[in-house]
Structure formats: structure tokens, C-alpha cells
């Protein structure tokens, strides 16, 4: 278990108060209050344009809010950045960059090492362990441009694993991958939860929300509900948040 672990003191993994973010003076997130406990798998759900990715980027200080405060494990981001791992959307990555699977996963060790220390045997062993954990060992020397979508996603999850973080933030980790890969990634998330880690993932498939997550936050610029799946995954909440962005006739059966 990570020596940094602080789950015993009950600090939230992420605490957000009065967060507002706007692009070109148009609110993308409005007055967000959210507390995510440690040691859970939290899904962030909402229609396209709801601000889900912006929420993740706000936590990571990749976008600047108009107002609000965010604490991670009780601290400002800059103090705990080494304890946070981020997996961006696959569409945001330059897959033509000349790097192998092993190269990409090794990049996950740089935050702990610092940029001016060369990785050694320990870092290489950690990287290969992470590659094995996601089932990519036979592709370790393959260029990332030659991988399938699911293989690319597993590579970036291995890069996150090697960081030995306490909080994992993932932006649509299941987008464009096959069902088998999706299940194997979910198994890794459950193992991380078992180690006391916190996983926060943007997720667009309503049908698997209740299977994959302990807690969900339903977001559409503002938060409509957040909490345990059984308390939040309800027809009236989904209807209100999704409005015209949701095909009710096709999805009626997945809601109570």
C-alpha cells in the first residue's frame, strides 16, 4: 500500500466549493459543490456539453475558474500533484508521436523522479509490472500509432498505474473500446479501490453506470444529484439533467 495513503483521516479525495467556470463569458460549470470520499469509484455522467471534462480539468488546474475552491486530499493541487494520475480522452492524444508502449508507461515515472534524473532498474521494473497488469506485455515494444483504441487506452492506464497515485482522474476511459477491454479496465479500477485508491471517471453510457460505479454525479452545467448509485440513478434525476439530449424510449428499461 502506498506510504502516502491517508484514508484513515477521512479527508475527502476531492472537495469542491462554489466552482464556476466560463468560456467566452458563457458558464460551462455553475456553482458546483461536490465532495468525493476516498476509496470509491465515482462516475461523472451528463449529456454532451454538460461540463464533465471541464470538471476534471478544473480539478487538475488545466482550466482557470471564475470562482470557487478545490481541495484534493485536503490540500491545494500543487502540493499533492504527485499523488494524482490523469488519463485524458484518447482524442486529445497525439498518437503519431514516435513512442513505444514502454516509452509511454515510463513517462509515468518522471513525476516521482524529476525531469533531470534518468529512470533506472526500479522504474523500468515498475513500468513493466504496470504493462503486465493491463495485459499489454506482448505489445511493449510496439509504436502507439499501431495500437487499437483499446490497446491505446490500456497503455495510458498503465502510465497512470506506474505513478502510484492515490487519486485517478479519467476522462471517458471507455470511449471507443470493446466490451472485453472495458471489463478488464473495470477490474483494474476495482483492484485500485481495494488498495484504498479513489477513481473518478467521466462516463457517457447510462446503461453501465449502476454496474461500474459506487457513486455517481449527474451533471449538466450544474449538479443535479451526487451520491450512492442507488440514491442518484433514478428516472426523475436523469430526465431532468438530460432533457432533450436523452432518448427516453430507447433507454426507459435501464431506469427504475
Amino acid at each position: 500500500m502506498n506510504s502516502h495513503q491517508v484514508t484513515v483521516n477521512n479527508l475527502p479525495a476531492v472537495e469542491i466549493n462554489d466552482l464556476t467556470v466560463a468560456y467566452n463569458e458563457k458558464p460551462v460549470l455553475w456553482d458546483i459543490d461536490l465532495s468525493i470520499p476516498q476509496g470509491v469509484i465515482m462516475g461523472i455522467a451528463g449529456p454532451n456539453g454538460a461540463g464533465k471534462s471541464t470538471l476534471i480539468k478544473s480539478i487538475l488546474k488545466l482550466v482557470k475558474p471564475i470562482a470557487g475552491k478545490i481541495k484534493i486530499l485536503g490540500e491545494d493541487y500543487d502540493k499533492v500533484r504527485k499523488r494524482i494520475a490523469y488519463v485524458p480522452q484518447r482524442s486529445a492524444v497525439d498518437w503519431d508521436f514516435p513512442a513505444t508502449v514502454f516509452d509511454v508507461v515510463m513517462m509515468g515515472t518522471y513525476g516521482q523522479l524529476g525531469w533531470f534524473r534518468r529512470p533506472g532498474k526500479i522504474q523500468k521494473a515498475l513500468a513493466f509490472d504496470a504493462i503486465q497488469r493491463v495485459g499489454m506485455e506482448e505489445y511493449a515494444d510496439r509504436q502507439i500509432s499501431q495500437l487499437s483504441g483499446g490497446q491505446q487506452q490500456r497503455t495510458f492506464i498503465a502510465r497512470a498505474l506506474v505513478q502510484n497515485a492515490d487519486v485517478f482522474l479519467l476522462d471517458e476511459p471507455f470511449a471507443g473500446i470493446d466490451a472485453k477491454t472495458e471489463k478488464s479496465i473495470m477490474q483494474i479500477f476495482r483492484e485500485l479501490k481495494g488498495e484504498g485508491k479513489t477513481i473518478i471517471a467521466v462516463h457517457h453510457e447510462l446503461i453501465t453506470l449502476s454496474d461500474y460505479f459506487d457513486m455517481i454525479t449527474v451533471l449538466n452545467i450544474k449538479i443535479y444529484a451526487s451520491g450512492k448509485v442507488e440514491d442518484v440513478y433514478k428516472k426523475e434525476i436523469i430526465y431532468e439533467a438530460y432533457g432533450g439530449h436523452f432518448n427516453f424510449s430507447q433507454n426507459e428499461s435501464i431506469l427504475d
Side-chain angles (χ1 to χ4, degrees):
M1 187 172 285
N2 189 341
S3 60
H4 289 312
Q5 206 111 340
V6 293
T7 50
V8 291
N9 63 14
N10 294 320
L11 281 170
V14 177
E15 184 81 37
I16 300 173
N17 296 111
D18 303 323
L19 178 70
T20 296
V21 178
Y23 296 145
N24 298 321
E25 299 184 3
K26 181 183 177 183
V28 182
L29 294 171
W30 183 259
D31 200 20
I32 301 293
D33 290 307
L34 179 62
S35 183
I36 302 174
Q38 293 185 56
V40 302
I41 307 176
M42 164 71 86
I44 310 294
N48 291 336
K52 302 184 297 294
S53 295
T54 301
L55 181 65
I56 296 289
K57 289 175 181 177
S58 297
I59 296 169
L60 294 160
K61 291 185 76 172
L62 295 174
V63 298
K64 188 175 181 180
I66 292 173
K69 292 183 178 180
I70 300 173
K71 297 285 187 183
I72 305 166
L73 301 166
E75 301 281 359
D76 291 329
Y77 170 80
D78 294 330
K79 289 188 176 180
V80 291
R81 62 190 309 160
K82 290 182 180 179
R83 300 171 64 185
I84 302 161
Y86 172 48
V87 177
Q89 287 186 21
R90 277 197 308 117
S91 60
V93 176
D94 178 9
W95 294 107
D96 292 325
F97 185 79
T100 66
V101 168
F102 190 79
D103 293 336
V104 170
V105 177
M106 279 294 291
M107 290 174 191
T109 68
Y110 295 169
Q112 302 289 344
L113 273 177
W115 286 101
F116 301 107
R117 285 178 56 200
R118 291 178 63 84
K121 288 182 180 179
I122 293 173
Q123 287 74 34
K124 290 175 181 176
L126 289 170
F128 198 74
D129 284 347
I131 289 169
Q132 285 185 309
R133 192 168 178 182
V134 299
M136 287 290 290
E137 57 268 31
E138 63 182 286
Y139 302 97
D141 296 323
R142 188 167 296 189
Q143 293 287 319
I144 57 171
S145 60
Q146 299 171 349
L147 302 175
S148 70
Q151 290 165 346
Q152 290 172 342
Q153 194 66 288
R154 280 190 280 169
T155 298
F156 264 68
I157 287 172
R159 187 186 72 161
L161 290 174
V162 85
Q163 292 175 241
N164 196 23
D166 292 312
V167 179
F168 291 77
L169 297 162
L170 305 101
D171 198 348
E172 300 226 14
F174 303 121
I177 64 174
D178 60 88
K180 183 179 178 182
T181 301
E182 193 165 303
K183 287 179 181 176
S184 68
I185 290 172
M186 241 354 274
Q187 181 57 38
I188 292 167
F189 290 173
R190 292 187 182 110
E191 290 169 4
L192 290 169
K193 178 193 169 183
E195 297 166 15
K197 314 291 190 180
T198 306
I199 297 91
I200 302 164
V202 171
H203 192 60
H204 68 284
E205 287 289 346
L206 282 172
I207 199 164
T208 49
L209 271 176
S210 60
D211 295 329
Y212 286 178
F213 299 100
D214 311 318
M215 302 181 72
I216 54 175
T217 295
V218 179
L219 175 73
N220 190 357
I221 301 178
K222 66 177 185 176
I223 288 180
Y224 283 80
S226 183
K228 293 180 180 179
V229 171
E230 57 267 30
D231 297 328
V232 174
Y233 193 61
K234 295 183 179 297
K235 186 183 295 184
E236 61 270 20
I237 293 170
I238 299 298
Y239 276 30
E240 187 181 4
Y242 278 72
H245 300 276
F246 184 66
N247 189 325
F248 299 118
S249 60
Q250 288 184 5
N251 291 280
E252 186 82 31
S253 61
I254 67 172
L255 298 167
D256 57 19

